[in-house]
Amino acid sequence: GGGGSSAAGLDPTPQTPVTVQAGFIPVIDVAALYLGDKQGFFTSRGIKLNVNTAQGGAALVPPVVSGQYQFAFSNIVSVLSARAQGLPLKVIASGSNSTAVAGKDVSMIRVPENSTIKSPADLAGKKVSVNTLNNLLQMLGDVAVSAAGGDPASVKFVELPFPDAVTALGNGNVDAMVTAEPFDTIASKGTRVIASPYLDMAKTSLTTSVYFTSEQQLQQNPKLFTALKAAIDESLTYANAHPDQVRAQLPSFMKIDPAVVGQVTLPTYAPGISKDSVDAFVKAAKRYNMVTADVSYDDLVWSGAAS
Amino acid sequence: MEVLEAPPSRRAGAAAPAPARRKRRPVAPVVGILIAAVLAELIPRSGLIAGDALPPLSSVLAELARDAGHAELWEAIGRTVRTWLIGLVLAVAAGVVVGFVIGLVPWLRAATASTVEFLRPIPSVALIPAVILIFGTGFQSGVTLIVYAGFWQVLVQVLYGVQDIDPVARETARSYRFSAWAVLRHVVWPTALPFVFTGIRLAASVALVLAITAELVIGTPGLGQLISVAQSSGATTEMFALVLVAGVLGVLVNVLFRLGERLTLRWHPSIRRAGGAR
Amino acid sequence: MTDMVEVRNLKKVYESQGRRIEAIRDITFTVARGEFACIVGPSGAGKTTLLKCLAGLLKPTAGEVVLEGSPVTGPPLGMAVVFQEYGRSLFPWKTVRQNIDLPLRQKGLPREKRDRLVSEALTAVDLGDAGRAYPWQLSGGMQQRVAIARAVAYEPHVLLMDEPFAAVDAQTRADLEDLVRTLWRDLGITTLFVTHDIDESVYLGERVIVLSASPTHVLDDVRIDLPTERNQVTTRATPDFAELRARVHRGIQDAKAGRPATGAVA
Amino acid sequence: MTDMVEVRNLKKVYESQGRRIEAIRDITFTVARGEFACIVGPSGAGKTTLLKCLAGLLKPTAGEVVLEGSPVTGPPLGMAVVFQEYGRSLFPWKTVRQNIDLPLRQKGLPREKRDRLVSEALTAVDLGDAGRAYPWQLSGGMQQRVAIARAVAYEPHVLLMDEPFAAVDAQTRADLEDLVRTLWRDLGITTLFVTHDIDESVYLGERVIVLSASPTHVLDDVRIDLPTERNQVTTRATPDFAELRARVHRGIQDAKAGRPATGAVA
Amino acid sequence: MKIVNRVLLALGLPVLLVALWWVTSANSTNYYFPPLSKILDWFGKLWLSARFGDDVVPSLVRLLVGFALSAVIGVALGVALGLTDALRRGAEPVLEFLRAIPPTVLVPVIALVAGIGDGSKILVIVSGCVWPVLLNTVEGVRAADEVMVDTARSFGLTRAARLRHLVLPAASPQIAAGLRQGLSIGLILMVIGEMFAATNGLGFSIVQFQRTFAIPQMWSGIILLGLIGFVLSALFTLIEKRALGWYLGLREAQKRNR
Ligand SMILES: Nc1ncnc2c1ncn2[C@@H]1O[C@H](COP(=O)(O)OP(=O)(O)OP(=O)(O)O)[C@@H](O)[C@H]1O
Ligand SMILES: Nc1ncnc2c1ncn2[C@@H]1O[C@H](COP(=O)(O)OP(=O)(O)OP(=O)(O)O)[C@@H](O)[C@H]1O
Ligand SMILES: [Mg+2]
Ligand SMILES: [Mg+2]
């Protein structure tokens, strides 16, 4: 019940608020928006945020395309691959960024403490778990193996949900795991890091997840999305400045162990998406066959101009 | 032959063995549940399988007790049950009606057989994107998926049931010129009823599974969505607590249908055999 | 008397599971309106098959059955059948009363009339107090009587009965025989009655049709010119009865032996 | 002669669906080894119930059945039963031969012996060429004869038959009667035979047990002191036969009327 | 003539539906409902190639093994439960509990127990496929005709012989119904099982297409799934006709003669 939110030409103001349906995945990255909403960054712009959650990004694309959700959260590779297939999606704002701190990033590759594997190059012929095949984490695995001088094609990636991957790593069902927070923290007991793959892609912080909508919705409601983008960006800035509040926000939308909350590595939140960051992903995604076609920065990212 | 029209006092006497039987009734299920519960407690504790990924029953129950204090769980159950019920009713109604029509008209059966067999094995889950696009992310999508999956369960059972009519019974009805409706109601329906019940019981659990799966994947509020959140946060115990709720719902559903079966199939050999055979 | 039932060159071949059985080779006979005809013949002769063809339940392989001038293509109106497999012809999910009541409801009779007919029929077969039982709670003979009661309550124009008294005791059988004859006489029901019992066929019928062994044809057609009023004791003791009995008996002996009929053809 | 079957104060009450039927109130009798006993009684008297209790298929409500000294708690070894509902006692998924063969395989007989027994039994019931048919391709009487053939081929010590000839024609019936008597005499099978036909009971049995109407008890127990060699024509014509016949008839009349037996108790 | 009729009947509706789909989707611009022509195009490219051996064959092998296991387990357990009332009442709540757990949740748990190889995928198939077989077997066994049971008992048929000659054949029509249900559920679970921890298979491909927004390819996979279901069911019917010859004969003797 989005209060006629899909109608064209909406101009949200605090006096005439508009309900915006958002599609999130319950992961740490979206904490920034929960926090921003709590701080009133959305309501002050006349936006009433209504969050829906789904298990994975693929299930969030259809409702955005059909206009049921105004925007949704996804990792950048999923959006790239949709865009490459010709789906008219546009990134409206950054979601979260890598930390660019070696050994303390949001995604890493872990092996059991006593494993003989020392470097990603040793992963040849080994089973490595990722949460989704042919997506971001597998690409990170490929990147890390290549960077270490190994052959990514020789690695056996297997798909396992994170909690099960942690167990599988423990009992030897898989040899290594590409992690993402909070499961990097959860998996840290008895394991060690052999790579921080984002740093293998670029030495700087990269935009790893984004908020996206459809081209059609952008055309119909430019004013709404301008306001929305402003609210998201303000939230990101605020979140980056208040990591403790971000941590405090986590239990409100995740079932997370309080002990883990204090330890997880938070991503960097920052408005704006650099062209270098996008290009790095496009290059890697193409190289490792995550996407089939080139995607240009301007195609992918909304200029933010209301006109 | 003498029908013992038992006077009240006598009837009470005759009823005496009945409570004994009724008292015995819950013993077997309770024993079964106890055995399962003990296994569910011991296997995870032994750590033989799956290390600590499988929490023991006691901690799952403790978690559940905690959840039961929150309205969130009950709301979720309510939502899931609503989706389940609407979907199931529609699926069963459609399956029974279509099943009888197809089953009774031979050429219709021949004409639809290939299409039915083509459509049946298509998993509802594969249709999720298309369903979201048409029906949105509300509970209607879950209902649609349930109807799609449950319909086939009922349909196939009904088709086999309709085929099971005793030829002599059918001829009797024909010779007395029963109308088509009367044949359906008094001959076909009772014969197919045991099959229909099996179909409904199959559909009921498939429907529950899909109600939860739809919530899980699409994110419609309900039990499945809670499971999804628990799963992606690594809250294993919480997840199993919710799975336990799903299972218990399934058991309750079955108890309900067993009761219905006992009431409507009193004449059936499986129910009437209780009468003193060795 | 006009012809009610005409069977013309009826032939029936069963083909199933690789077995081809010529059950009836060639039968021709007619039954007049209001006549009581008994059909006897050795086991497996095709009596049940013949009855099912008459009832429009089986499609003849060749030949035809004509009822009141129009060919039978399906079960005709106002006909009641008592099946040999009485047990399976009762619906186990209905009580005895409901089993009898159901065809009456099909006829569209009002409630009170149905209730009366059901009760009367049950009393007539001596099952007055078994109405609320289910068929599977009854003995074999009782089940058979329920099937008879159902046909009787239906008040048919044409009544087809396939060994309806096979499972009941001698005394009950005599009572039921008289019941059927009374009904036939009072309501003018055209009746075809299959039986194994030669005495019974002579006692009941106005006519006995003797069928040969399979592949079947009509071997003998004996007119029973006993008085309409019959009595279990006196009628059976008459010399006429004995003679007719002997004649039918010879017919069946011949049928079994595969000889053409030696008794004079009526 | 030792007692083969002992029935002591047997009582059977059916309780189902709120209906409570006292089928058998109190029956006591014994059957000697190798004896041929017929059981007659009105429809619904509890004959089938009695037979099922004897066969260990039904649990008596009170009293007991003792077979060769040991109480019956389940179907005893070496016993064959021909059920009243013959049609339902044949397995529709087996051919006629397979139906007869199955119990023999259970006995562990060698292949050739089984084949011979099956063929002999089929010939005895005049179904030599129906061996490969399925039961549902047969007429009612043929099905009943298959059930009889199955029991006969089994070569039991104890044979229980529940109206086994109800669906067969008079001539076949006579043949089968003689078949059963021959078997009984040659193999010394203890036989209990339920029938409605008084003549049949007298012709077949060494003894006729007359049951009262339900709730049932033994009304009369008539010793049939006819010679062991019997003949369908001559035996039935003797004055002894007529007298015994009358005696049993009276017993049944009494049973129907609910009177105590008026015939002298044997 | 008869055969021509039957072929026409079997093909009529599918042809009609495909034509309808073709026409209504011809100018579709909806991303998720591409024109049928495009789907069929991909169908040829994808499945009439080496991919068939790489993806479809492994899936089918898993399905058949899983189905066979389900049939054995379902019938064995079903007979046991159907014959022993106490056992059935004892096991029922536990079985109903298991039945109500979504495979999507169960899959990871199974993966924990059975590893992430073919074993766990087969187990996933069994976890869903076994229920219709089990339930139908239980009901079929419980509905066995009393007179037949009495006959078997009176002739001293041993338990094993009663099982083989009476209980199983008597329940076989209903078991067949269960197997038929199980077959299509098995196919569905084959897909679901391959959604997790798989590296090949038809289900894996469909899910990959879905996730990478290769929608025409996804539809072509769904069509293939339907075709496989159809072929398997046709095979099943063939076997059923032989195994249940007596039953179909018994039931159809009347129909055909009318
Ligand atoms: N459904 C069937 N399929 C094949 N053959 C059949 C079928 N029904 C009957 N027959 C055959 O047709 C012949 C005649 O059978 P029918 O039942 O008409 O005999 P009947 O005269 O009624 O015998 P009975 O007195 O024993 O009941 C028999 O040889 C029988 O085997
Ligand atoms: N399964 C049952 N449930 C309830 N009552 C039953 C059941 N079987 C038989 N009866 C009742 O028990 C009584 C005796 O039945 P039984 O079948 O033994 O009679 P019978 O002497 O064999 O009669 P018939 O000669 O008609 O076959 C009848 O009144 C019948 O209604
Ligand atoms: Mg017949
Ligand atoms: Mg009886």
Side-chain angles (χ1 to χ4, degrees):
Chain A
S5 52
S6 65
L10 288 173
D11 187 2
T13 65
Q15 289 73 40
T16 56
V18 172
T19 302
V20 163
Q21 301 289 341
F24 287 1
I25 303 168
V27 289
I28 293 176
D29 314 54
V30 296
L33 262 58
Y34 281 102
L35 184 58
D37 191 29
K38 208 167 105 189
Q39 296 299 317
F41 302 148
F42 289 86
T43 40
S44 65
R45 291 177 172 84
I47 293 171
K48 195 171 165 301
L49 197 63
N50 190 20
V51 174
N52 308 276
T53 51
Q55 205 177 27
L60 288 174
V61 174
V64 169
V65 169
S66 69
Q68 283 208 36
Y69 293 172
Q70 276 61 60
F71 75 108
F73 171 87
S74 168
N75 78 55
I76 191 160
V77 173
S78 289
V79 182
L80 273 179
S81 109
R83 187 74 219 191
Q85 292 282 356
L87 263 171
L89 302 184
K90 275 276 193 208
V91 169
I92 52 169
S94 163
S96 63
N97 299 352
S98 63
T99 59
V101 178
K104 203 101 183 82
D105 212 336
V106 286
S107 263
M108 285 180 292
I109 302 180
R110 284 186 177 270
V111 295
E113 200 92 69
N114 54 6
S115 168
T116 55
I117 299 167
K118 299 279 176 261
S119 126
D122 301 336
L123 290 175
K126 296 283 197 274
K127 272 195 250 175
V128 179
S129 80
V130 294
N131 69 332
T132 312
L133 280 177
N134 297 323
N135 210 308
L136 176 64
L137 293 202
Q138 184 180 346
M139 191 184 90
L140 292 181
D142 288 334
V143 166
V145 172
S146 293
D151 174 15
S154 66
V155 179
K156 280 195 239 136
F157 288 103
V158 292
E159 180 170 313
L160 274 183
F162 285 123
D164 308 315
V166 174
T167 315
L169 190 65
N171 63 22
N173 262 336
V174 297
D175 302 296
M177 169 183 179
V178 184
T179 64
E181 285 291 22
F183 291 95
D184 190 66
T185 305
I186 294 172
S188 62
K189 210 178 104 207
T191 62
R192 62 187 153 78
V193 174
I194 57 164
S196 306
Y198 284 124
L199 282 175
D200 293 329
M201 275 177 73
K203 295 293 155 210
T204 55
S205 169
L206 295 168
T207 301
T208 61
S209 66
V210 296
Y211 296 99
F212 67 93
T213 186
S214 71
E215 282 180 355
Q216 198 197 7
Q217 294 203 59
L218 273 178
Q219 275 157 20
Q220 280 172 355
N221 279 320
K223 284 195 177 125
L224 171 68
F225 283 98
T226 312
L228 184 61
K229 181 176 169 54
I232 294 175
D233 285 349
E234 187 177 1
S235 304
L236 294 175
T237 311
Y238 183 85
N240 210 39
H242 302 86
D244 289 342
Q245 290 186 31
V246 173
R247 284 182 203 279
Q249 193 65 42
L250 295 180
S252 75
F253 66 96
M254 294 175 80
K255 300 279 176 188
I256 192 165
D257 188 345
V260 175
V261 168
Q263 290 171 21
V264 289
T265 305
L266 292 181
T268 312
Y269 295 110
I273 304 168
S274 81
K275 186 162 185 314
D276 288 346
S277 170
V278 170
D279 287 347
F281 272 101
V282 172
K283 203 176 114 211
K286 269 202 79 180
R287 175 161 174 206
Y288 300 109
N289 296 319
M290 306 292 146
V291 300
T292 45
D294 257 322
V295 178
S296 80
Y297 179 84
D298 293 331
D299 270 351
L300 186 72
V301 182
W302 182 45
S303 61
S307 53
Chain B
M1 188 209 66
E2 182 184 342
V3 182
L4 295 179
E5 279 305 312
S9 61
R10 189 92 152 280
R11 181 160 292 159
R21 211 179 304 143
R22 213 165 293 141
K23 212 170 266 164
R24 209 174 61 225
R25 205 166 277 158
V27 170
V30 166
V31 168
I33 292 172
L34 277 182
I35 292 174
V38 168
L39 287 179
E41 180 68 26
L42 290 186
I43 290 179
R45 285 207 184 281
S46 75
L48 279 179
I49 313 175
D52 53 358
L54 216 58
L57 183 65
S58 51
S59 46
V60 172
L61 285 177
E63 181 77 35
L64 190 59
R66 225 167 302 139
D67 287 348
H70 300 296
E72 190 191 20
L73 177 71
W74 298 107
E75 265 169 37
I77 292 178
R79 287 207 169 93
T80 305
V81 167
R82 178 183 63 170
T83 310
W84 169 79
L85 209 64
I86 297 175
L88 182 63
V89 167
L90 291 177
V92 169
V96 167
V97 170
V98 176
F100 278 121
V101 171
I102 293 181
L104 290 173
V105 187
W107 68 265
L108 252 183
R109 185 164 189 179
T112 51
S114 51
T115 312
V116 167
E117 293 310 329
F118 179 87
L119 292 175
R120 232 151 50 86
I122 293 177
S124 286
V125 229
L127 301 177
I128 285 180
V131 169
I132 296 178
L133 221 55
I134 300 174
F135 296 96
T137 53
F139 76 98
Q140 295 88 341
S141 276
V143 169
T144 310
L145 292 173
I146 290 172
V147 172
Y148 186 84
F151 172 73
W152 305 114
Q153 308 277 328
V154 182
L155 179 76
V156 170
Q157 292 290 141
V158 173
L159 287 181
Y160 273 88
V162 168
Q163 186 183 282
D164 201 46
I165 300 165
D166 188 314
V168 181
R170 186 211 303 272
E171 287 191 339
T172 305
R174 267 164 46 82
S175 72
Y176 283 108
R177 294 179 60 87
F178 280 26
S179 64
W181 171 245
V183 172
L184 195 72
R185 175 151 150 40
H186 298 300
V187 184
V188 181
W189 173 249
T191 307
L193 203 55
F195 286 80
V196 172
F197 263 111
T198 306
I200 294 179
R201 287 176 57 214
L202 283 171
S205 55
V206 165
L208 186 57
V209 163
L210 275 169
I212 291 172
T213 304
E215 290 160 0
L216 200 100
V217 177
I218 303 174
T220 319
L223 262 185
Q225 192 236 12
L226 293 186
I227 291 179
S228 158
V229 170
Q231 210 171 20
S232 47
S233 321
T236 320
T237 313
E238 165 82 14
M239 188 194 90
F240 278 104
L242 295 166
V243 169
L244 190 72
V245 172
V248 169
L249 276 182
V251 175
L252 292 181
V253 168
N254 183 59
V255 169
L256 221 71
F257 282 117
R258 278 282 180 218
L259 224 70
E261 222 172 24
R262 223 197 296 280
L263 286 179
T264 45
L265 292 183
R266 283 183 310 174
W267 53 271
H268 196 257
S270 65
I271 311 263
R272 76 192 191 212
R273 194 164 291 146
R278 258 207 175 98
Chain C
M1 274 210 290
T2 54
D3 283 347
M4 184 75 172
V5 182
E6 265 188 88
V7 178
R8 288 201 208 117
N9 297 106
L10 190 78
K11 178 191 179 79
K12 176 70 198 179
V13 178
Y14 285 105
E15 256 173 304
S16 64
Q17 306 283 308
R19 223 176 100 96
R20 188 173 175 281
I21 295 285
E22 188 177 13
I24 298 178
R25 177 161 292 170
D26 185 355
I27 293 190
T28 303
F29 67 87
T30 61
V31 181
R33 181 182 302 277
E35 201 173 17
F36 195 135
C38 289
I39 298 172
V40 297
S43 172
K47 304 179 293 298
T48 299
T49 308
L50 171 62
L51 229 57
K52 283 190 181 166
C53 289
L54 287 175
L57 293 168
L58 267 185
K59 201 182 156 110
T61 310
E64 62 173 345
V65 176
V66 179
L67 196 93
E68 299 187 90
S70 51
V72 169
T73 53
L77 215 81
M79 182 195 67
V81 184
V82 177
F83 289 89
Q84 186 173 13
E85 298 175 83
Y86 53 90
R88 285 168 59 196
S89 92
L90 300 175
F91 302 131
W93 44 84
K94 298 216 169 275
T95 63
V96 166
R97 279 198 84 89
Q98 288 169 341
N99 261 292
I100 302 174
D101 186 48
L102 199 52
L104 305 183
R105 278 167 66 182
Q106 286 304 301
K107 265 185 149 180
L109 299 184
R111 178 69 181 260
E112 304 83 59
K113 175 139 195 228
R114 273 161 32 209
D115 279 354
R116 189 172 50 74
L117 283 170
V118 173
S119 299
E120 282 175 10
L122 276 175
T123 314
V125 299
D126 200 14
L127 283 177
D129 46 8
R132 280 168 51 210
Y134 285 93
W136 39 271
Q137 294 177 316
L138 302 182
S139 78
M142 291 159 90
Q143 289 177 19
Q144 195 164 33
R145 284 182 276 153
V146 175
I148 296 167
R150 178 166 62 183
V152 164
Y154 194 63
E155 299 188 325
H157 303 309
V158 184
L159 178 58
L160 308 180
M161 302 180 105
D162 198 351
E163 303 182 26
F165 307 149
V168 298
D169 60 290
Q171 181 58 46
T172 310
R173 186 171 193 138
D175 295 346
L176 290 174
E177 281 167 4
D178 290 336
L179 170 71
V180 169
R181 264 200 75 85
T182 310
L183 278 173
W184 161 75
R185 217 190 39 208
D186 294 355
L187 304 177
I189 304 171
T190 311
T191 307
L192 273 104
F193 190 102
V194 170
T195 178
H196 286 311
D197 189 325
I198 299 165
D199 289 48
E200 183 169 83
S201 72
V202 173
Y203 179 74
L204 280 180
E206 305 293 292
R207 193 178 151 197
V208 175
I209 299 170
V210 181
L211 296 185
S212 77
S214 179
T216 310
H217 53 106
V218 176
L219 206 64
D220 201 354
D221 193 337
V222 186
R223 182 138 307 278
I224 306 295
D225 36 18
L226 296 170
T228 309
E229 282 301 331
R230 298 182 190 178
N231 174 289
Q232 290 285 358
V233 180
T234 54
T235 305
R236 286 183 195 252
T238 59
D240 281 1
F241 188 90
E243 193 187 302
L244 287 163
R245 193 189 170 287
R247 158 105 184 260
V248 174
H249 189 75
R250 262 199 318 281
I252 293 189
Q253 297 283 73
D254 294 345
K256 286 284 287 191
R259 283 191 300 268
T262 48
V265 173
Chain D
M1 274 208 291
T2 54
D3 282 347
M4 183 75 170
V5 182
E6 265 187 87
V7 178
R8 287 200 209 118
N9 298 104
L10 190 77
K11 178 191 179 78
K12 176 69 197 178
V13 179
Y14 285 104
E15 253 174 307
S16 62
Q17 312 284 311
R19 224 176 98 97
R20 186 169 177 280
I21 297 283
E22 187 177 14
I24 296 178
R25 176 162 293 172
D26 185 355
I27 294 189
T28 303
F29 67 87
T30 61
V31 180
R33 183 181 300 276
E35 200 174 16
F36 195 134
C38 289
I39 299 172
V40 296
S43 173
K47 303 181 294 296
T48 301
T49 307
L50 171 62
L51 231 54
K52 283 192 181 163
C53 289
L54 287 175
L57 294 168
L58 266 186
K59 201 180 152 109
T61 310
E64 64 173 343
V65 176
V66 179
L67 196 93
E68 300 189 87
S70 50
V72 169
T73 53
L77 219 78
M79 181 195 68
V81 184
V82 177
F83 289 88
Q84 185 174 13
E85 297 175 82
Y86 52 92
R88 283 168 62 195
S89 91
L90 300 174
F91 299 147
W93 46 85
K94 295 203 176 281
T95 63
V96 166
R97 278 198 86 88
Q98 289 169 343
N99 262 290
I100 301 174
D101 187 49
L102 186 59
L104 305 183
R105 279 169 67 182
Q106 281 306 298
K107 266 185 148 182
L109 299 184
R111 179 68 181 262
E112 305 83 59
K113 173 136 196 231
R114 271 159 36 207
D115 279 355
R116 189 174 48 75
L117 283 171
V118 173
S119 299
E120 282 175 11
L122 275 175
T123 315
V125 299
D126 199 14
L127 282 177
D129 47 7
R132 281 169 52 212
Y134 285 94
W136 40 271
Q137 294 176 316
L138 302 181
S139 76
M142 290 160 91
Q143 289 177 20
Q144 195 164 34
R145 283 182 277 152
V146 174
I148 296 168
R150 179 166 60 186
V152 165
Y154 192 64
E155 299 187 323
H157 303 308
V158 184
L159 178 58
L160 308 180
M161 303 180 105
D162 198 353
E163 303 180 25
F165 306 148
V168 298
D169 59 289
Q171 181 59 45
T172 311
R173 185 172 194 137
D175 295 347
L176 290 175
E177 281 167 5
D178 290 336
L179 171 72
V180 170
R181 263 200 75 85
T182 310
L183 276 172
W184 161 76
R185 216 190 39 207
D186 293 355
L187 303 178
I189 305 171
T190 312
T191 307
L192 272 105
F193 190 102
V194 170
T195 179
H196 285 312
D197 190 325
I198 298 166
D199 289 48
E200 185 170 81
S201 70
V202 174
Y203 179 74
L204 281 179
E206 305 292 292
R207 189 177 154 199
V208 176
I209 299 170
V210 181
L211 297 185
S212 75
S214 179
T216 310
H217 51 106
V218 176
L219 206 64
D220 202 352
D221 192 339
V222 184
R223 181 138 308 276
I224 306 296
D225 36 18
L226 296 170
T228 309
E229 283 301 329
R230 298 182 190 177
N231 176 289
Q232 290 284 358
V233 182
T234 54
T235 304
R236 286 182 196 256
T238 58
D240 280 1
F241 188 91
E243 193 188 303
L244 286 164
R245 191 188 171 290
R247 158 104 183 263
V248 175
H249 188 75
R250 262 199 318 280
I252 294 190
Q253 297 283 76
D254 293 345
K256 286 283 287 191
R259 282 193 299 268
T262 48
V265 174
Chain E
M1 192 57 218
K2 248 185 187 164
I3 291 181
V4 173
N5 262 341
R6 273 177 49 191
V7 169
L8 277 182
L9 264 181
L11 289 182
L13 188 61
V15 167
L16 197 80
L17 290 177
V18 169
L20 202 72
W21 185 0
W22 185 284
V23 171
T24 50
S25 72
N27 298 314
S28 167
T29 52
N30 189 325
Y31 191 81
Y32 279 90
F33 298 102
L36 181 57
S37 54
K38 207 165 152 192
I39 296 173
L40 292 183
D41 209 32
W42 274 109
F43 188 92
K45 270 191 252 174
L46 284 175
W47 307 115
L48 307 178
S49 67
R51 186 145 194 167
F52 192 86
D54 296 344
D55 276 324
V56 182
V57 172
S59 291
L60 285 182
V61 171
R62 285 172 201 148
L63 174 64
L64 293 183
V65 175
F67 180 66
L69 274 177
S70 310
V72 173
I73 297 172
V75 171
L77 199 60
V79 167
L81 297 185
L83 290 180
T84 350
D85 219 39
L87 194 62
R88 181 179 61 77
R89 287 186 292 123
E92 201 158 65
V94 181
L95 294 175
E96 294 306 323
F97 180 87
L98 291 177
R99 225 152 60 80
I101 297 175
T104 25
V105 177
L106 209 60
V107 168
V109 181
I110 288 179
L112 287 180
V113 177
I116 48 183
D118 281 342
S120 79
K121 288 178 193 65
I122 290 169
L123 220 70
V124 171
I125 292 175
V126 174
S127 79
C129 201
V130 77
W131 302 119
V133 186
L134 181 76
L135 287 196
N136 273 292
T137 307
V138 170
E139 298 307 318
V141 166
R142 295 211 309 149
D145 188 285
E146 292 145 306
V147 181
M148 285 185 207
V149 174
D150 280 353
T151 306
R153 277 161 42 93
S154 70
F155 278 109
L157 262 67
T158 58
R159 260 179 174 271
R162 286 214 304 266
L163 198 66
R164 178 157 134 52
H165 297 292
L166 170 64
V167 173
L168 284 179
S172 58
Q174 210 156 344
I175 294 178
L179 286 174
R180 185 176 282 275
Q181 299 264 46
L183 194 57
S184 58
I185 291 188
L187 206 52
I188 290 172
L189 279 157
M190 177 193 92
V191 173
I192 292 179
E194 288 172 358
M195 286 179 166
F196 299 87
T199 46
N200 66 353
L202 182 53
F204 171 78
S205 307
I206 291 178
V207 172
Q208 283 303 315
F209 291 140
Q210 192 174 320
R211 281 196 197 136
T212 55
F213 310 99
I215 302 303
Q217 291 92 316
M218 177 192 90
W219 281 113
S220 82
I222 291 178
I223 290 182
L224 181 64
L225 210 55
L227 286 179
I228 291 175
F230 171 72
V231 170
L232 288 180
S233 134
L235 284 176
F236 184 85
T237 305
L238 263 177
I239 298 169
E240 190 187 28
K241 273 214 172 107
R242 305 207 100 208
L244 290 186
W246 64 271
Y247 179 73
L248 301 174
L250 170 68
R251 294 302 178 212
E252 257 152 44
Q254 261 73 14
K255 277 187 226 159
R256 215 176 320 124
N257 285 314
R258 177 61 260 175

